[in-house]
Amino acid sequence: MTRLIAVIAMLMLMSCAPKKDEPPANRADHQPPSASEVFRLRSECAKLGELIMRDNKIGADLSQDVVTHYDSRTNRCYAELTVQDPASDGEFITSYLYDAQTKEQLAFATKNWEKKSGWVEHGPVGYDAANIYIANMMDDPDHFAQLR
């Protein structure tokens, strides 16, 4: 009886497994979105970034801006929200990276005059490492140079 139950359980598990002929999203034959679909997704991504910025309350002396990036390889939208004191000549600035679809904060890099710090999903990493992470996720190699 125990053997029969084990065989039935194994057959049930095998029937739930994906079929071998189903292409996973990362296979070479997976079709990327069309140009018009990418345009629509990028536009939607920009709207999600604007919502993140709108919901972020800042003081009267600060300014903020948001830049978005739709990654067609991963089908994810990322938003980088930058908050700064315009009078500080770049000495008071924080960049936050969000998954714009879930609004989950993925990283931040902050410079408060002489004090710098950074964080990514896994914990503190330092200012430079956090900026590199944000630049990579935003697919912007010039990002780090702009913040130095």
Side-chain angles (χ1 to χ4, degrees), residues 14-111:
M14 289 173 56
S15 69
C16 293
K19 297 176 185 172
K20 289 183 180 180
D21 60 351
E22 291 179 15
N26 60 351
R27 276 189 37 186
D29 61 348
H30 177 70
Q31 294 296 316
S34 67
S36 60
E37 182 69 3
V38 168
F39 179 80
R40 186 187 68 75
L41 292 168
R42 285 183 176 157
S43 298
E44 187 64 30
C45 184
K47 290 177 188 174
L48 292 171
E50 290 294 325
L51 288 174
I52 288 172
M53 186 171 73
R54 185 196 71 200
D55 292 343
N56 188 53
K57 305 300 181 212
I58 60 171
D61 293 341
L62 302 176
S63 67
Q64 64 181 344
D65 190 31
V66 70
V67 176
T68 58
H69 170 65
Y70 171 72
D71 187 339
S72 61
R73 296 169 301 195
T74 61
N75 193 31
R76 300 306 302 167
C77 172
Y78 300 101
E80 179 184 5
L81 177 68
T82 303
V83 178
Q84 62 184 334
D85 178 351
S88 74
D89 273 340
E91 291 300 314
F92 183 84
I93 185 168
T94 302
S95 294
Y96 301 93
L97 178 68
Y98 290 94
D99 177 324
Q101 291 154 292
T102 65
K103 295 187 179 178
E104 176 185 4
Q105 185 178 330
L106 304 175
F108 76 81
T110 187
K111 179 169 53 167

